[in-house]
Amino acid sequence: MCKTCDIAETMLSVAASTRGISYERINLNFYKTLIEVYQIRSAPALLLFKNGRLVKEVYAFQSVTYLNEVLTEFLIDED
């Protein structure tokens, strides 16, 4: 994985642990079909799904605070 992806994953790990949620990290080099299906524009990418449907994409992992806000909004919308 690239350094940008490593940094983004570290930030996501911190944000996800504060919310008690899990996520899956994948190497897109091995999932070319996902790139096409979800029209992923760049990596790192955070794809958030509800009921099997993509509802939000995040490409700029600005900070842990920003990711916490994104995840909070995602979880609030879930209720």
Side-chain angles (χ1 to χ4, degrees), residues 33-59:
T33 303
L34 288 178
I35 294 170
E36 295 171 13
V37 170
Y38 295 108
Q39 299 176 352
I40 298 171
R41 300 184 308 262
S42 66
L46 173 63
L47 305 181
L48 299 170
F49 292 84
K50 287 186 183 177
N51 301 319
R53 189 173 63 84
L54 178 64
V55 295
K56 184 162 183 79
E57 302 168 81
V58 177
Y59 291 99

mmCIF file of all heavy atoms in Angstrom, residues 33-59:
data_model
loop_
_atom_site.group_PDB
_atom_site.id
_atom_site.type_symbol
_atom_site.label_atom_id
_atom_site.label_comp_id
_atom_site.label_asym_id
_atom_site.label_seq_id
_atom_site.Cartn_x
_atom_site.Cartn_y
_atom_site.Cartn_z
ATOM 1 N N THR A 33 -12.609 -4.804 -10.382
ATOM 2 C CA THR A 33 -14.050 -4.754 -10.642
ATOM 3 C C THR A 33 -14.730 -3.736 -9.737
ATOM 4 O O THR A 33 -15.633 -3.017 -10.179
ATOM 5 C CB THR A 33 -14.689 -6.145 -10.450
ATOM 6 O OG1 THR A 33 -14.037 -7.067 -11.319
ATOM 7 C CG2 THR A 33 -16.171 -6.133 -10.764
ATOM 8 N N LEU A 34 -14.292 -3.648 -8.471
ATOM 9 C CA LEU A 34 -14.874 -2.660 -7.559
ATOM 10 C C LEU A 34 -14.637 -1.239 -8.045
ATOM 11 O O LEU A 34 -15.492 -0.373 -7.888
ATOM 12 C CB LEU A 34 -14.300 -2.825 -6.150
ATOM 13 C CG LEU A 34 -14.747 -4.044 -5.368
ATOM 14 C CD1 LEU A 34 -14.063 -4.087 -4.015
ATOM 15 C CD2 LEU A 34 -16.256 -4.069 -5.210
ATOM 16 N N ILE A 35 -13.473 -1.007 -8.615
ATOM 17 C CA ILE A 35 -13.164 0.320 -9.165
ATOM 18 C C ILE A 35 -14.198 0.694 -10.218
ATOM 19 O O ILE A 35 -14.701 1.815 -10.236
ATOM 20 C CB ILE A 35 -11.741 0.353 -9.758
ATOM 21 C CG1 ILE A 35 -10.701 0.170 -8.655
ATOM 22 C CG2 ILE A 35 -11.504 1.651 -10.522
ATOM 23 C CD1 ILE A 35 -9.288 -0.038 -9.171
ATOM 24 N N GLU A 36 -14.531 -0.253 -11.073
ATOM 25 C CA GLU A 36 -15.500 -0.002 -12.136
ATOM 26 C C GLU A 36 -16.921 0.116 -11.589
ATOM 27 O O GLU A 36 -17.646 1.043 -11.940
ATOM 28 C CB GLU A 36 -15.428 -1.108 -13.178
ATOM 29 C CG GLU A 36 -14.109 -1.146 -13.924
ATOM 30 C CD GLU A 36 -13.958 -2.368 -14.806
ATOM 31 O OE1 GLU A 36 -14.962 -3.078 -15.046
ATOM 32 O OE2 GLU A 36 -12.831 -2.619 -15.251
ATOM 33 N N VAL A 37 -17.306 -0.813 -10.732
ATOM 34 C CA VAL A 37 -18.674 -0.839 -10.223
ATOM 35 C C VAL A 37 -19.001 0.429 -9.441
ATOM 36 O O VAL A 37 -20.064 1.027 -9.622
ATOM 37 C CB VAL A 37 -18.914 -2.089 -9.342
ATOM 38 C CG1 VAL A 37 -20.230 -2.010 -8.604
ATOM 39 C CG2 VAL A 37 -18.854 -3.351 -10.194
ATOM 40 N N TYR A 38 -18.076 0.844 -8.568
ATOM 41 C CA TYR A 38 -18.328 2.008 -7.718
ATOM 42 C C TYR A 38 -17.668 3.286 -8.235
ATOM 43 O O TYR A 38 -17.724 4.315 -7.584
ATOM 44 C CB TYR A 38 -17.894 1.723 -6.282
ATOM 45 C CG TYR A 38 -18.732 0.636 -5.671
ATOM 46 C CD1 TYR A 38 -18.209 -0.624 -5.434
ATOM 47 C CD2 TYR A 38 -20.072 0.860 -5.376
ATOM 48 C CE1 TYR A 38 -18.983 -1.633 -4.894
ATOM 49 C CE2 TYR A 38 -20.866 -0.151 -4.845
ATOM 50 C CZ TYR A 38 -20.311 -1.392 -4.608
ATOM 51 O OH TYR A 38 -21.082 -2.385 -4.076
ATOM 52 N N GLN A 39 -17.072 3.192 -9.406
ATOM 53 C CA GLN A 39 -16.434 4.334 -10.064
ATOM 54 C C GLN A 39 -15.494 5.065 -9.108
ATOM 55 O O GLN A 39 -15.552 6.292 -8.949
ATOM 56 C CB GLN A 39 -17.483 5.274 -10.647
ATOM 57 C CG GLN A 39 -18.345 4.600 -11.680
ATOM 58 C CD GLN A 39 -19.447 5.482 -12.210
ATOM 59 O OE1 GLN A 39 -19.700 6.576 -11.730
ATOM 60 N NE2 GLN A 39 -20.129 4.986 -13.227
ATOM 61 N N ILE A 40 -14.625 4.303 -8.472
ATOM 62 C CA ILE A 40 -13.665 4.851 -7.521
ATOM 63 C C ILE A 40 -12.659 5.689 -8.287
ATOM 64 O O ILE A 40 -12.031 5.219 -9.229
ATOM 65 C CB ILE A 40 -12.988 3.718 -6.723
ATOM 66 C CG1 ILE A 40 -14.055 2.968 -5.926
ATOM 67 C CG2 ILE A 40 -11.904 4.281 -5.809
ATOM 68 C CD1 ILE A 40 -13.565 1.694 -5.266
ATOM 69 N N ARG A 41 -12.501 6.940 -7.866
ATOM 70 C CA ARG A 41 -11.681 7.905 -8.597
ATOM 71 C C ARG A 41 -10.231 7.927 -8.152
ATOM 72 O O ARG A 41 -9.355 8.320 -8.917
ATOM 73 C CB ARG A 41 -12.280 9.302 -8.461
ATOM 74 C CG ARG A 41 -13.697 9.399 -9.018
ATOM 75 C CD ARG A 41 -14.245 10.812 -8.963
ATOM 76 N NE ARG A 41 -14.151 11.445 -7.655
ATOM 77 C CZ ARG A 41 -15.137 11.506 -6.769
ATOM 78 N NH1 ARG A 41 -16.292 10.974 -7.048
ATOM 79 N NH2 ARG A 41 -14.973 12.125 -5.620
ATOM 80 N N SER A 42 -9.969 7.582 -6.907
ATOM 81 C CA SER A 42 -8.597 7.602 -6.413
ATOM 82 C C SER A 42 -8.511 6.804 -5.123
ATOM 83 O O SER A 42 -9.523 6.395 -4.561
ATOM 84 C CB SER A 42 -8.120 9.044 -6.175
ATOM 85 O OG SER A 42 -8.850 9.642 -5.134
ATOM 86 N N ALA A 43 -7.297 6.604 -4.675
ATOM 87 C CA ALA A 43 -7.056 5.919 -3.406
ATOM 88 C C ALA A 43 -6.151 6.814 -2.576
ATOM 89 O O ALA A 43 -5.281 7.496 -3.128
ATOM 90 C CB ALA A 43 -6.413 4.561 -3.636
ATOM 91 N N PRO A 44 -6.396 6.863 -1.296
ATOM 92 C CA PRO A 44 -7.369 6.083 -0.530
ATOM 93 C C PRO A 44 -8.796 6.583 -0.745
ATOM 94 O O PRO A 44 -9.026 7.741 -1.084
ATOM 95 C CB PRO A 44 -6.940 6.308 0.921
ATOM 96 C CG PRO A 44 -6.266 7.630 0.915
ATOM 97 C CD PRO A 44 -5.601 7.749 -0.429
ATOM 98 N N ALA A 45 -9.713 5.673 -0.532
ATOM 99 C CA ALA A 45 -11.138 5.990 -0.634
ATOM 100 C C ALA A 45 -11.867 5.299 0.505
ATOM 101 O O ALA A 45 -11.572 4.156 0.838
ATOM 102 C CB ALA A 45 -11.691 5.507 -1.966
ATOM 103 N N LEU A 46 -12.798 6.006 1.097
ATOM 104 C CA LEU A 46 -13.669 5.440 2.122
ATOM 105 C C LEU A 46 -15.062 5.383 1.535
ATOM 106 O O LEU A 46 -15.632 6.414 1.157
ATOM 107 C CB LEU A 46 -13.658 6.312 3.378
ATOM 108 C CG LEU A 46 -14.643 5.941 4.484
ATOM 109 C CD1 LEU A 46 -14.336 4.542 5.032
ATOM 110 C CD2 LEU A 46 -14.601 6.979 5.600
ATOM 111 N N LEU A 47 -15.581 4.184 1.395
ATOM 112 C CA LEU A 47 -16.922 3.988 0.859
ATOM 113 C C LEU A 47 -17.816 3.543 2.006
ATOM 114 O O LEU A 47 -17.515 2.555 2.680
ATOM 115 C CB LEU A 47 -16.926 2.933 -0.247
ATOM 116 C CG LEU A 47 -15.971 3.155 -1.415
ATOM 117 C CD1 LEU A 47 -16.106 2.026 -2.433
ATOM 118 C CD2 LEU A 47 -16.197 4.494 -2.076
ATOM 119 N N LEU A 48 -18.893 4.264 2.234
ATOM 120 C CA LEU A 48 -19.827 3.946 3.318
ATOM 121 C C LEU A 48 -21.112 3.402 2.717
ATOM 122 O O LEU A 48 -21.710 4.013 1.833
ATOM 123 C CB LEU A 48 -20.106 5.198 4.149
ATOM 124 C CG LEU A 48 -18.874 5.796 4.829
ATOM 125 C CD1 LEU A 48 -19.202 7.158 5.432
ATOM 126 C CD2 LEU A 48 -18.338 4.857 5.891
ATOM 127 N N PHE A 49 -21.529 2.240 3.220
ATOM 128 C CA PHE A 49 -22.695 1.537 2.697
ATOM 129 C C PHE A 49 -23.778 1.414 3.757
ATOM 130 O O PHE A 49 -23.480 1.236 4.938
ATOM 131 C CB PHE A 49 -22.305 0.117 2.266
ATOM 132 C CG PHE A 49 -21.400 0.071 1.077
ATOM 133 C CD1 PHE A 49 -20.030 0.204 1.217
ATOM 134 C CD2 PHE A 49 -21.926 -0.125 -0.193
ATOM 135 C CE1 PHE A 49 -19.183 0.148 0.123
ATOM 136 C CE2 PHE A 49 -21.083 -0.180 -1.298
ATOM 137 C CZ PHE A 49 -19.714 -0.048 -1.140
ATOM 138 N N LYS A 50 -25.026 1.486 3.308
ATOM 139 C CA LYS A 50 -26.186 1.183 4.142
ATOM 140 C C LYS A 50 -27.065 0.223 3.381
ATOM 141 O O LYS A 50 -27.397 0.468 2.211
ATOM 142 C CB LYS A 50 -26.979 2.454 4.458
ATOM 143 C CG LYS A 50 -26.277 3.349 5.444
ATOM 144 C CD LYS A 50 -27.155 4.515 5.833
ATOM 145 C CE LYS A 50 -26.372 5.409 6.770
ATOM 146 N NZ LYS A 50 -27.110 6.585 7.148
ATOM 147 N N ASN A 51 -27.407 -0.856 4.038
ATOM 148 C CA ASN A 51 -28.257 -1.868 3.410
ATOM 149 C C ASN A 51 -27.711 -2.299 2.051
ATOM 150 O O ASN A 51 -28.459 -2.479 1.104
ATOM 151 C CB ASN A 51 -29.692 -1.366 3.273
ATOM 152 C CG ASN A 51 -30.297 -1.015 4.611
ATOM 153 O OD1 ASN A 51 -30.104 -1.735 5.602
ATOM 154 N ND2 ASN A 51 -31.006 0.086 4.673
ATOM 155 N N GLY A 52 -26.383 -2.416 1.957
ATOM 156 C CA GLY A 52 -25.752 -2.874 0.731
ATOM 157 C C GLY A 52 -25.656 -1.831 -0.372
ATOM 158 O O GLY A 52 -25.243 -2.134 -1.479
ATOM 159 N N ARG A 53 -26.041 -0.584 -0.061
ATOM 160 C CA ARG A 53 -26.040 0.486 -1.062
ATOM 161 C C ARG A 53 -25.021 1.540 -0.662
ATOM 162 O O ARG A 53 -24.972 1.987 0.475
ATOM 163 C CB ARG A 53 -27.433 1.100 -1.145
ATOM 164 C CG ARG A 53 -27.629 2.074 -2.279
ATOM 165 C CD ARG A 53 -29.086 2.527 -2.402
ATOM 166 N NE ARG A 53 -29.567 3.259 -1.249
ATOM 167 C CZ ARG A 53 -29.390 4.560 -1.038
ATOM 168 N NH1 ARG A 53 -28.717 5.275 -1.918
ATOM 169 N NH2 ARG A 53 -29.876 5.145 0.028
ATOM 170 N N LEU A 54 -24.212 1.958 -1.624
ATOM 171 C CA LEU A 54 -23.223 3.002 -1.390
ATOM 172 C C LEU A 54 -23.947 4.321 -1.138
ATOM 173 O O LEU A 54 -24.747 4.753 -1.953
ATOM 174 C CB LEU A 54 -22.286 3.139 -2.596
ATOM 175 C CG LEU A 54 -21.227 4.229 -2.526
ATOM 176 C CD1 LEU A 54 -20.247 3.965 -1.394
ATOM 177 C CD2 LEU A 54 -20.495 4.329 -3.854
ATOM 178 N N VAL A 55 -23.652 4.951 0.020
ATOM 179 C CA VAL A 55 -24.329 6.205 0.348
ATOM 180 C C VAL A 55 -23.377 7.386 0.476
ATOM 181 O O VAL A 55 -23.810 8.536 0.433
ATOM 182 C CB VAL A 55 -25.184 6.083 1.634
ATOM 183 C CG1 VAL A 55 -26.328 5.111 1.428
ATOM 184 C CG2 VAL A 55 -24.336 5.701 2.826
ATOM 185 N N LYS A 56 -22.090 7.120 0.652
ATOM 186 C CA LYS A 56 -21.141 8.222 0.782
ATOM 187 C C LYS A 56 -19.751 7.746 0.401
ATOM 188 O O LYS A 56 -19.367 6.624 0.704
ATOM 189 C CB LYS A 56 -21.128 8.760 2.205
ATOM 190 C CG LYS A 56 -20.225 9.981 2.371
ATOM 191 C CD LYS A 56 -20.557 10.729 3.636
ATOM 192 C CE LYS A 56 -19.730 11.971 3.787
ATOM 193 N NZ LYS A 56 -20.166 13.085 3.000
ATOM 194 N N GLU A 57 -19.019 8.644 -0.258
ATOM 195 C CA GLU A 57 -17.624 8.390 -0.612
ATOM 196 C C GLU A 57 -16.771 9.511 -0.036
ATOM 197 O O GLU A 57 -17.150 10.675 -0.114
ATOM 198 C CB GLU A 57 -17.440 8.390 -2.126
ATOM 199 C CG GLU A 57 -18.279 7.375 -2.859
ATOM 200 C CD GLU A 57 -18.266 7.626 -4.348
ATOM 201 O OE1 GLU A 57 -17.278 7.218 -5.003
ATOM 202 O OE2 GLU A 57 -19.227 8.241 -4.841
ATOM 203 N N VAL A 58 -15.636 9.146 0.529
ATOM 204 C CA VAL A 58 -14.688 10.129 1.046
ATOM 205 C C VAL A 58 -13.341 9.842 0.403
ATOM 206 O O VAL A 58 -12.852 8.711 0.455
ATOM 207 C CB VAL A 58 -14.570 10.041 2.592
ATOM 208 C CG1 VAL A 58 -13.523 11.008 3.104
ATOM 209 C CG2 VAL A 58 -15.920 10.289 3.253
ATOM 210 N N TYR A 59 -12.765 10.860 -0.210
ATOM 211 C CA TYR A 59 -11.461 10.703 -0.842
ATOM 212 C C TYR A 59 -10.377 11.514 -0.140
ATOM 213 O O TYR A 59 -9.211 11.178 -0.222
ATOM 214 C CB TYR A 59 -11.523 11.100 -2.323
ATOM 215 C CG TYR A 59 -12.334 10.133 -3.144
ATOM 216 C CD1 TYR A 59 -13.649 10.408 -3.483
ATOM 217 C CD2 TYR A 59 -11.785 8.926 -3.559
ATOM 218 C CE1 TYR A 59 -14.396 9.511 -4.223
ATOM 219 C CE2 TYR A 59 -12.531 8.029 -4.295
ATOM 220 C CZ TYR A 59 -13.836 8.325 -4.627
ATOM 221 O OH TYR A 59 -14.570 7.433 -5.357
#
